[in-house]
Amino acid sequence: MGKQENIADLESLLSLDSEIQSRVAPRWARKAAAAAAADRFIPTRAGMEWDKANYRVENCENGEEEPKKTSSGREQALKAGLLSNGCVEDTEPSRIIHYAAKAPPAPPSGYVNNLRVLYTAQGHTAAVGESSRRAKTTRHIPSAPSRVLDAPELVDDYYLNLVAWGANNKVAVALGATVYVWDAASGGIVELLTLEDAEDYVCSVAWLPGETGDGHLAVGSAGGSTELWDVAATRPLRRMDGHAARVSALAWNAHILSSGSRDSTIVHHDVRVREHAVGSCVGGHAQEVCGLAWSPDGTMLASGGNDNLVCLWSASQTGVRSQDATRVLSDHDAAVKALAWCPHDRNVLATGAGTADRTIKLWNAQLGSMLNSIDTGSQVCALAWNPHEKELLSGHGYAENQLSLWKYPTMARIKDLKGHTGRVLSLCVSPDGSTALSAGADETLRFWDVFAAPGNALLKAKKATTKINRLNSGRPLSIR
Amino acid sequence: MATTTKTISLSGSVEIVREFFEFSINSILYQRGIYPPETFKRVAKYGLGMMVSTDEGLREYLGQVTRQLDSWLTSADVQRLVLVVTGVDSKKPLERWVFAVKTDLGGGGKENSTNAGPKSQKDITAEIQAIIRQITASVTFLPLLTEPCAFDLLVYTKKSSSVPSTWEDTDPLHIANGTEVKLRSFTTTIHNIDAAVSYAPED
């Protein structure tokens, strides 16, 4: 019975009496309607969708070969119905218009799409301004140091800042009571100074920023004095007192040298004038100040102390005797030595604290709000930003003594670099921003090519390093 | 029809669609980095944090376009709204965000039979939310725009529509060898919006 009904259905379908339901009117019907509206077809090239027309032609070859024979209404309707389900949707003619006045122009050239960060993890093109547009795969991060220097008698003290890499491409290292200057371009080593007092030792070094020649180095000592040295002449230019205990941290802001001390104060020295102590920060910290960093725009000084506090000081009050901290950030649970200002986003400060806390925290320094906090699982001794990519490098203590590379702002761990057998005491970045230098408690300095420099800078850096390697190949390297 | 009393009125539907266009255009401009992110402010809408431009010139431009869209939506003249992203230097269209509009004023013809029945504001919002989420997520598959970009809004209207003199005919700016990704759609029962994005292949 059912079979017969089916046959009946089929027959009624096959006969052209019944109307075929279709979403789109058959072509002949449309043609008739169009003919009624106008007597000829005038093509407008702009309005014709060539891609679709081409698609249509290519996909309808079988049907269109013999158009005269197959022009029955049923087939036409079938074809129209099939096509309408596929690619062709707007059979209605349309006019494409836009508002004559243009939208305001895109931002000025040199603007870098902020989404670049999203893509660097996926190996997409990292476009930096106009310079590089070619596709680049995810850069290789070598897991071994490119070179290792011995640094005997490097004091294993969390609170000191014993290495500095200046804009002049020279590395200053304090070993005990002596400061050596290692030229990264030539590999040459100069002994700059040795403190005379047997009890005395160097606690901090800092290069005057932005110099190209031999430069000037600020040196803080255990005796509480801060000295400014002319490296070309290997002689001290001036001695600036003002602290009752050792000077553990130094930071430059143009001609202002800020020194942090175990006596819990920070003093601003104007190195140009006779009365050098132009201002001080007294009330902020209660214990030793071990981390100091001026923001890249020079408007704010961040200080970290053994009292677990991070204080922010405004540059506008630098000349004031015992200025007040603009903000006190008290979220860390251990001494804060690692401080680094983000070179990519204004007012973003990264801080890392000691063994009891083990976190890296990111702050908006303007608002004093914490943006992110991650537990690293280990003492954070040093932090350095990648100048080229939004990445943060941290140096750690027990148990792995590793360097960790983090993606900012997600703070996802990219890579751990292991090699130090003692905790990492300090980190600095080369002036070209391609290499990070870590000073470890195992009395070694290790150079890591973790920050790839974009385009030409990378090539130059490579040439420079190969040059150094050739010069020094074969003999063991030591800082003295 | 009995259902028409409960369904959204035409003006209400136009309002919903226009608002959706405004927010999705702002969202695309923000997500694709066509304007710097600091010129956007966050506004709560559709249960999401939406980024809306604070640039005066841009707001003025979008205001002009959406006001005109309003009247075209009411008269059922709009077939598509297309946001084309072009490179400023290369002049090539790089991305094409297509919002196909189907208007059903005739009290439920056969085409719309699947959408029969009233639809609550909540359902519509949920559908819009899904599209906005897809726009936000699109950065994961769209190629990075490496050069400074500009955008243009194309409107496909009926041949018979009345067009003010401030509007002019334009090229459809199709992308050669583009890849098309269909996004979700939403319907107010009067207006049915299908979204899609096509983009130029990476070289």
Side-chain angles (χ1 to χ4, degrees), chain A residues 430-472:
Chain A
S430 64
D432 69 355
S434 64
T435 308
L437 161 64
S438 64
D442 54 358
E443 301 191 339
T444 59
L445 303 179
R446 289 168 200 252
F447 294 77
W448 312 81
D449 296 331
V450 283
F451 306 148
N456 296 335
L458 183 68
L459 286 175
K460 268 182 207 161
K462 260 191 186 155
K463 266 181 203 158
T465 35
T466 45
K467 207 169 154 192
I468 302 172
N469 288 343
R470 228 173 279 135
L471 273 172
N472 295 306

mmCIF file of all heavy atoms in Angstrom, chain A residues 430-472:
data_model
loop_
_atom_site.group_PDB
_atom_site.id
_atom_site.type_symbol
_atom_site.label_atom_id
_atom_site.label_comp_id
_atom_site.label_asym_id
_atom_site.label_seq_id
_atom_site.Cartn_x
_atom_site.Cartn_y
_atom_site.Cartn_z
ATOM 1 N N SER A 430 71.833 44.365 28.235
ATOM 2 C CA SER A 430 72.788 45.073 27.390
ATOM 3 C C SER A 430 72.121 46.296 26.765
ATOM 4 O O SER A 430 70.901 46.327 26.612
ATOM 5 C CB SER A 430 73.293 44.142 26.290
ATOM 6 O OG SER A 430 72.231 43.782 25.446
ATOM 7 N N PRO A 431 72.923 47.303 26.379
ATOM 8 C CA PRO A 431 72.312 48.509 25.817
ATOM 9 C C PRO A 431 71.531 48.249 24.530
ATOM 10 O O PRO A 431 70.564 48.950 24.252
ATOM 11 C CB PRO A 431 73.497 49.445 25.576
ATOM 12 C CG PRO A 431 74.719 48.653 25.803
ATOM 13 C CD PRO A 431 74.362 47.457 26.605
ATOM 14 N N ASP A 432 71.920 47.221 23.744
ATOM 15 C CA ASP A 432 71.146 46.919 22.536
ATOM 16 C C ASP A 432 69.920 46.081 22.860
ATOM 17 O O ASP A 432 69.105 45.788 21.983
ATOM 18 C CB ASP A 432 72.015 46.237 21.471
ATOM 19 C CG ASP A 432 72.441 44.821 21.870
ATOM 20 O OD1 ASP A 432 72.128 44.416 23.006
ATOM 21 O OD2 ASP A 432 73.079 44.148 21.056
ATOM 22 N N GLY A 433 69.782 45.701 24.113
ATOM 23 C CA GLY A 433 68.575 45.009 24.552
ATOM 24 C C GLY A 433 68.476 43.571 24.111
ATOM 25 O O GLY A 433 67.405 42.984 24.165
ATOM 26 N N SER A 434 69.574 42.963 23.662
ATOM 27 C CA SER A 434 69.475 41.590 23.184
ATOM 28 C C SER A 434 69.930 40.579 24.233
ATOM 29 O O SER A 434 69.504 39.443 24.226
ATOM 30 C CB SER A 434 70.291 41.411 21.907
ATOM 31 O OG SER A 434 71.651 41.615 22.198
ATOM 32 N N THR A 435 70.792 41.002 25.120
ATOM 33 C CA THR A 435 71.433 40.069 26.039
ATOM 34 C C THR A 435 71.147 40.460 27.486
ATOM 35 O O THR A 435 71.141 41.644 27.823
ATOM 36 C CB THR A 435 72.955 40.074 25.812
ATOM 37 O OG1 THR A 435 73.207 39.874 24.432
ATOM 38 C CG2 THR A 435 73.641 38.989 26.596
ATOM 39 N N ALA A 436 70.911 39.453 28.302
ATOM 40 C CA ALA A 436 70.758 39.691 29.733
ATOM 41 C C ALA A 436 71.977 39.116 30.446
ATOM 42 O O ALA A 436 72.498 38.079 30.050
ATOM 43 C CB ALA A 436 69.487 39.042 30.246
ATOM 44 N N LEU A 437 72.420 39.822 31.455
ATOM 45 C CA LEU A 437 73.572 39.374 32.237
ATOM 46 C C LEU A 437 73.076 39.038 33.636
ATOM 47 O O LEU A 437 72.387 39.832 34.264
ATOM 48 C CB LEU A 437 74.620 40.494 32.296
ATOM 49 C CG LEU A 437 75.685 40.425 33.389
ATOM 50 C CD1 LEU A 437 76.568 39.207 33.208
ATOM 51 C CD2 LEU A 437 76.530 41.682 33.394
ATOM 52 N N SER A 438 73.405 37.850 34.097
ATOM 53 C CA SER A 438 73.014 37.481 35.453
ATOM 54 C C SER A 438 74.271 37.248 36.275
ATOM 55 O O SER A 438 75.229 36.628 35.819
ATOM 56 C CB SER A 438 72.148 36.227 35.435
ATOM 57 O OG SER A 438 72.879 35.136 34.942
ATOM 58 N N ALA A 439 74.250 37.774 37.484
ATOM 59 C CA ALA A 439 75.352 37.552 38.400
ATOM 60 C C ALA A 439 74.875 36.582 39.466
ATOM 61 O O ALA A 439 73.859 36.825 40.112
ATOM 62 C CB ALA A 439 75.779 38.876 39.031
ATOM 63 N N GLY A 440 75.571 35.477 39.618
ATOM 64 C CA GLY A 440 75.107 34.443 40.535
ATOM 65 C C GLY A 440 75.977 34.340 41.762
ATOM 66 O O GLY A 440 77.141 34.766 41.768
ATOM 67 N N ALA A 441 75.396 33.755 42.818
ATOM 68 C CA ALA A 441 76.147 33.543 44.048
ATOM 69 C C ALA A 441 77.204 32.451 43.865
ATOM 70 O O ALA A 441 78.043 32.248 44.734
ATOM 71 C CB ALA A 441 75.196 33.164 45.176
ATOM 72 N N ASP A 442 77.168 31.749 42.715
ATOM 73 C CA ASP A 442 78.207 30.767 42.409
ATOM 74 C C ASP A 442 79.452 31.446 41.830
ATOM 75 O O ASP A 442 80.310 30.795 41.270
ATOM 76 C CB ASP A 442 77.665 29.705 41.438
ATOM 77 C CG ASP A 442 77.066 30.323 40.186
ATOM 78 O OD1 ASP A 442 77.040 31.574 40.105
ATOM 79 O OD2 ASP A 442 76.615 29.583 39.304
ATOM 80 N N GLU A 443 79.514 32.788 41.993
ATOM 81 C CA GLU A 443 80.651 33.600 41.552
ATOM 82 C C GLU A 443 80.878 33.516 40.047
ATOM 83 O O GLU A 443 82.011 33.444 39.571
ATOM 84 C CB GLU A 443 81.914 33.228 42.335
ATOM 85 C CG GLU A 443 81.723 33.437 43.839
ATOM 86 C CD GLU A 443 83.010 33.330 44.641
ATOM 87 O OE1 GLU A 443 83.968 32.729 44.139
ATOM 88 O OE2 GLU A 443 83.053 33.858 45.765
ATOM 89 N N THR A 444 79.800 33.493 39.300
ATOM 90 C CA THR A 444 79.919 33.572 37.848
ATOM 91 C C THR A 444 78.985 34.658 37.337
ATOM 92 O O THR A 444 77.976 34.976 37.967
ATOM 93 C CB THR A 444 79.517 32.257 37.146
ATOM 94 O OG1 THR A 444 78.170 31.949 37.483
ATOM 95 C CG2 THR A 444 80.426 31.099 37.515
ATOM 96 N N LEU A 445 79.375 35.217 36.193
ATOM 97 C CA LEU A 445 78.481 36.095 35.438
ATOM 98 C C LEU A 445 78.115 35.325 34.177
ATOM 99 O O LEU A 445 78.984 34.820 33.484
ATOM 100 C CB LEU A 445 79.179 37.404 35.049
ATOM 101 C CG LEU A 445 79.780 38.260 36.159
ATOM 102 C CD1 LEU A 445 80.432 39.484 35.544
ATOM 103 C CD2 LEU A 445 78.717 38.681 37.150
ATOM 104 N N ARG A 446 76.839 35.220 33.898
ATOM 105 C CA ARG A 446 76.415 34.494 32.704
ATOM 106 C C ARG A 446 75.653 35.423 31.776
ATOM 107 O O ARG A 446 74.831 36.224 32.222
ATOM 108 C CB ARG A 446 75.543 33.294 33.079
ATOM 109 C CG ARG A 446 76.368 32.193 33.733
ATOM 110 C CD ARG A 446 75.514 31.123 34.362
ATOM 111 N NE ARG A 446 76.310 30.389 35.343
ATOM 112 C CZ ARG A 446 76.748 29.143 35.156
ATOM 113 N NH1 ARG A 446 76.462 28.480 34.067
ATOM 114 N NH2 ARG A 446 77.474 28.548 36.081
ATOM 115 N N PHE A 447 75.955 35.300 30.482
ATOM 116 C CA PHE A 447 75.306 36.136 29.464
ATOM 117 C C PHE A 447 74.303 35.272 28.711
ATOM 118 O O PHE A 447 74.652 34.225 28.191
ATOM 119 C CB PHE A 447 76.332 36.712 28.493
ATOM 120 C CG PHE A 447 77.273 37.680 29.142
ATOM 121 C CD1 PHE A 447 78.313 37.217 29.937
ATOM 122 C CD2 PHE A 447 77.116 39.046 28.972
ATOM 123 C CE1 PHE A 447 79.187 38.106 30.549
ATOM 124 C CE2 PHE A 447 77.991 39.936 29.583
ATOM 125 C CZ PHE A 447 79.018 39.458 30.371
ATOM 126 N N TRP A 448 73.064 35.721 28.647
ATOM 127 C CA TRP A 448 71.998 34.950 28.011
ATOM 128 C C TRP A 448 71.421 35.776 26.870
ATOM 129 O O TRP A 448 71.021 36.918 27.089
ATOM 130 C CB TRP A 448 70.879 34.646 29.006
ATOM 131 C CG TRP A 448 71.337 34.109 30.314
ATOM 132 C CD1 TRP A 448 71.821 34.815 31.367
ATOM 133 C CD2 TRP A 448 71.342 32.730 30.722
ATOM 134 N NE1 TRP A 448 72.137 33.979 32.414
ATOM 135 C CE2 TRP A 448 71.858 32.698 32.045
ATOM 136 C CE3 TRP A 448 70.974 31.542 30.104
ATOM 137 C CZ2 TRP A 448 71.999 31.509 32.749
ATOM 138 C CZ3 TRP A 448 71.106 30.358 30.811
ATOM 139 C CH2 TRP A 448 71.624 30.342 32.128
ATOM 140 N N ASP A 449 71.374 35.199 25.676
ATOM 141 C CA ASP A 449 70.797 35.935 24.542
ATOM 142 C C ASP A 449 69.287 35.672 24.491
ATOM 143 O O ASP A 449 68.773 35.091 23.545
ATOM 144 C CB ASP A 449 71.456 35.499 23.233
ATOM 145 C CG ASP A 449 72.927 35.864 23.223
ATOM 146 O OD1 ASP A 449 73.274 36.854 23.875
ATOM 147 O OD2 ASP A 449 73.714 35.144 22.590
ATOM 148 N N VAL A 450 68.612 36.101 25.535
ATOM 149 C CA VAL A 450 67.192 35.766 25.628
ATOM 150 C C VAL A 450 66.290 36.763 24.903
ATOM 151 O O VAL A 450 65.207 36.420 24.466
ATOM 152 C CB VAL A 450 66.711 35.678 27.090
ATOM 153 C CG1 VAL A 450 67.153 34.391 27.698
ATOM 154 C CG2 VAL A 450 67.178 36.867 27.894
ATOM 155 N N PHE A 451 66.737 38.003 24.809
ATOM 156 C CA PHE A 451 65.875 39.022 24.203
ATOM 157 C C PHE A 451 66.319 39.238 22.765
ATOM 158 O O PHE A 451 67.290 39.928 22.523
ATOM 159 C CB PHE A 451 65.970 40.357 24.948
ATOM 160 C CG PHE A 451 65.699 40.262 26.418
ATOM 161 C CD1 PHE A 451 66.328 41.107 27.303
ATOM 162 C CD2 PHE A 451 64.788 39.339 26.919
ATOM 163 C CE1 PHE A 451 66.068 41.043 28.659
ATOM 164 C CE2 PHE A 451 64.531 39.258 28.280
ATOM 165 C CZ PHE A 451 65.183 40.116 29.153
ATOM 166 N N ALA A 452 65.606 38.675 21.824
ATOM 167 C CA ALA A 452 65.995 38.864 20.428
ATOM 168 C C ALA A 452 65.799 40.312 20.053
ATOM 169 O O ALA A 452 64.767 40.900 20.331
ATOM 170 C CB ALA A 452 65.161 37.972 19.534
ATOM 171 N N ALA A 453 66.790 40.879 19.414
ATOM 172 C CA ALA A 453 66.660 42.254 18.947
ATOM 173 C C ALA A 453 65.994 42.229 17.585
ATOM 174 O O ALA A 453 66.237 41.317 16.799
ATOM 175 C CB ALA A 453 68.028 42.896 18.848
ATOM 176 N N PRO A 454 65.145 43.198 17.293
ATOM 177 C CA PRO A 454 64.460 43.163 16.002
ATOM 178 C C PRO A 454 65.375 43.580 14.861
ATOM 179 O O PRO A 454 66.204 44.471 15.020
ATOM 180 C CB PRO A 454 63.329 44.181 16.185
ATOM 181 C CG PRO A 454 63.840 45.117 17.224
ATOM 182 C CD PRO A 454 64.797 44.357 18.081
ATOM 183 N N GLY A 455 65.217 42.911 13.739
ATOM 184 C CA GLY A 455 65.834 43.293 12.471
ATOM 185 C C GLY A 455 67.323 43.526 12.532
ATOM 186 O O GLY A 455 68.088 42.662 12.925
ATOM 187 N N ASN A 456 67.738 44.722 12.123
ATOM 188 C CA ASN A 456 69.149 45.030 11.974
ATOM 189 C C ASN A 456 69.924 44.929 13.279
ATOM 190 O O ASN A 456 71.064 44.505 13.294
ATOM 191 C CB ASN A 456 69.318 46.446 11.414
ATOM 192 C CG ASN A 456 68.748 46.531 10.030
ATOM 193 O OD1 ASN A 456 68.655 45.523 9.332
ATOM 194 N ND2 ASN A 456 68.331 47.711 9.636
ATOM 195 N N ALA A 457 69.258 45.322 14.346
ATOM 196 C CA ALA A 457 69.935 45.321 15.637
ATOM 197 C C ALA A 457 70.445 43.925 15.967
ATOM 198 O O ALA A 457 71.536 43.753 16.501
ATOM 199 C CB ALA A 457 68.989 45.811 16.711
ATOM 200 N N LEU A 458 69.643 42.918 15.589
ATOM 201 C CA LEU A 458 70.020 41.536 15.879
ATOM 202 C C LEU A 458 71.299 41.174 15.124
ATOM 203 O O LEU A 458 72.232 40.614 15.684
ATOM 204 C CB LEU A 458 68.884 40.610 15.479
ATOM 205 C CG LEU A 458 69.097 39.144 15.775
ATOM 206 C CD1 LEU A 458 69.090 38.908 17.265
ATOM 207 C CD2 LEU A 458 68.027 38.305 15.120
ATOM 208 N N LEU A 459 71.336 41.538 13.854
ATOM 209 C CA LEU A 459 72.499 41.230 13.036
ATOM 210 C C LEU A 459 73.754 41.871 13.625
ATOM 211 O O LEU A 459 74.784 41.239 13.762
ATOM 212 C CB LEU A 459 72.282 41.722 11.604
ATOM 213 C CG LEU A 459 71.303 40.889 10.782
ATOM 214 C CD1 LEU A 459 71.083 41.531 9.431
ATOM 215 C CD2 LEU A 459 71.834 39.471 10.610
ATOM 216 N N LYS A 460 73.609 43.135 13.984
ATOM 217 C CA LYS A 460 74.745 43.866 14.531
ATOM 218 C C LYS A 460 75.246 43.194 15.794
ATOM 219 O O LYS A 460 76.430 42.980 15.984
ATOM 220 C CB LYS A 460 74.332 45.302 14.849
ATOM 221 C CG LYS A 460 74.596 46.255 13.700
ATOM 222 C CD LYS A 460 74.210 47.664 14.120
ATOM 223 C CE LYS A 460 73.833 48.484 12.907
ATOM 224 N NZ LYS A 460 73.051 49.653 13.272
ATOM 225 N N ALA A 461 74.286 42.843 16.650
ATOM 226 C CA ALA A 461 74.643 42.220 17.919
ATOM 227 C C ALA A 461 75.377 40.908 17.670
ATOM 228 O O ALA A 461 76.359 40.609 18.320
ATOM 229 C CB ALA A 461 73.381 41.972 18.749
ATOM 230 N N LYS A 462 74.889 40.159 16.681
ATOM 231 C CA LYS A 462 75.514 38.875 16.371
ATOM 232 C C LYS A 462 76.955 39.077 15.938
ATOM 233 O O LYS A 462 77.856 38.396 16.384
ATOM 234 C CB LYS A 462 74.737 38.176 15.258
ATOM 235 C CG LYS A 462 73.804 37.115 15.798
ATOM 236 C CD LYS A 462 73.256 36.264 14.684
ATOM 237 C CE LYS A 462 72.209 35.312 15.240
ATOM 238 N NZ LYS A 462 71.262 34.896 14.241
ATOM 239 N N LYS A 463 77.148 40.056 15.060
ATOM 240 C CA LYS A 463 78.494 40.343 14.580
ATOM 241 C C LYS A 463 79.394 40.685 15.753
ATOM 242 O O LYS A 463 80.513 40.205 15.861
ATOM 243 C CB LYS A 463 78.452 41.509 13.593
ATOM 244 C CG LYS A 463 78.340 41.036 12.154
ATOM 245 C CD LYS A 463 78.339 42.225 11.222
ATOM 246 C CE LYS A 463 77.682 41.867 9.909
ATOM 247 N NZ LYS A 463 77.200 43.034 9.194
ATOM 248 N N ALA A 464 78.871 41.523 16.644
ATOM 249 C CA ALA A 464 79.665 41.963 17.778
ATOM 250 C C ALA A 464 80.066 40.785 18.651
ATOM 251 O O ALA A 464 81.232 40.664 19.042
ATOM 252 C CB ALA A 464 78.881 42.986 18.592
ATOM 253 N N THR A 465 79.103 39.900 18.931
ATOM 254 C CA THR A 465 79.429 38.790 19.822
ATOM 255 C C THR A 465 80.408 37.835 19.179
ATOM 256 O O THR A 465 81.325 37.354 19.831
ATOM 257 C CB THR A 465 78.176 38.007 20.257
ATOM 258 O OG1 THR A 465 77.281 37.997 19.179
ATOM 259 C CG2 THR A 465 77.558 38.572 21.507
ATOM 260 N N THR A 466 80.241 37.567 17.874
ATOM 261 C CA THR A 466 81.176 36.647 17.241
ATOM 262 C C THR A 466 82.581 37.239 17.288
ATOM 263 O O THR A 466 83.558 36.524 17.444
ATOM 264 C CB THR A 466 80.800 36.347 15.786
ATOM 265 O OG1 THR A 466 80.463 37.564 15.144
ATOM 266 C CG2 THR A 466 79.638 35.381 15.698
ATOM 267 N N LYS A 467 82.641 38.549 17.170
ATOM 268 C CA LYS A 467 83.924 39.223 17.232
ATOM 269 C C LYS A 467 84.574 38.985 18.600
ATOM 270 O O LYS A 467 85.737 38.614 18.698
ATOM 271 C CB LYS A 467 83.716 40.716 17.005
ATOM 272 C CG LYS A 467 84.920 41.429 16.419
ATOM 273 C CD LYS A 467 84.503 42.825 15.988
ATOM 274 C CE LYS A 467 85.649 43.790 15.993
ATOM 275 N NZ LYS A 467 85.184 45.166 15.849
ATOM 276 N N ILE A 468 83.781 39.166 19.637
ATOM 277 C CA ILE A 468 84.323 38.968 20.986
ATOM 278 C C ILE A 468 84.774 37.528 21.143
ATOM 279 O O ILE A 468 85.870 37.254 21.636
ATOM 280 C CB ILE A 468 83.256 39.240 22.062
ATOM 281 C CG1 ILE A 468 82.715 40.660 21.918
ATOM 282 C CG2 ILE A 468 83.836 39.052 23.444
ATOM 283 C CD1 ILE A 468 81.525 40.906 22.819
ATOM 284 N N ASN A 469 83.935 36.595 20.665
ATOM 285 C CA ASN A 469 84.261 35.191 20.846
ATOM 286 C C ASN A 469 85.581 34.848 20.174
ATOM 287 O O ASN A 469 86.380 34.099 20.694
ATOM 288 C CB ASN A 469 83.144 34.309 20.288
ATOM 289 C CG ASN A 469 81.923 34.374 21.180
ATOM 290 O OD1 ASN A 469 82.033 34.798 22.332
ATOM 291 N ND2 ASN A 469 80.782 33.979 20.652
ATOM 292 N N ARG A 470 85.804 35.432 18.997
ATOM 293 C CA ARG A 470 87.038 35.138 18.295
ATOM 294 C C ARG A 470 88.231 35.681 19.083
ATOM 295 O O ARG A 470 89.250 35.039 19.222
ATOM 296 C CB ARG A 470 86.988 35.740 16.886
ATOM 297 C CG ARG A 470 87.423 34.729 15.844
ATOM 298 C CD ARG A 470 87.219 35.274 14.455
ATOM 299 N NE ARG A 470 85.855 35.136 14.022
ATOM 300 C CZ ARG A 470 85.182 36.111 13.424
ATOM 301 N NH1 ARG A 470 85.722 37.279 13.236
ATOM 302 N NH2 ARG A 470 83.954 35.919 13.040
ATOM 303 N N LEU A 471 88.055 36.877 19.613
ATOM 304 C CA LEU A 471 89.138 37.498 20.361
ATOM 305 C C LEU A 471 89.548 36.660 21.564
ATOM 306 O O LEU A 471 90.716 36.538 21.881
ATOM 307 C CB LEU A 471 88.693 38.877 20.862
ATOM 308 C CG LEU A 471 88.895 40.036 19.895
ATOM 309 C CD1 LEU A 471 88.233 41.281 20.474
ATOM 310 C CD2 LEU A 471 90.379 40.287 19.672
ATOM 311 N N ASN A 472 88.533 36.074 22.218
ATOM 312 C CA ASN A 472 88.819 35.434 23.489
ATOM 313 C C ASN A 472 88.834 33.922 23.433
ATOM 314 O O ASN A 472 88.943 33.275 24.447
ATOM 315 C CB ASN A 472 87.797 35.869 24.524
ATOM 316 C CG ASN A 472 87.916 37.336 24.805
ATOM 317 O OD1 ASN A 472 88.989 37.822 25.142
ATOM 318 N ND2 ASN A 472 86.831 38.042 24.640
#
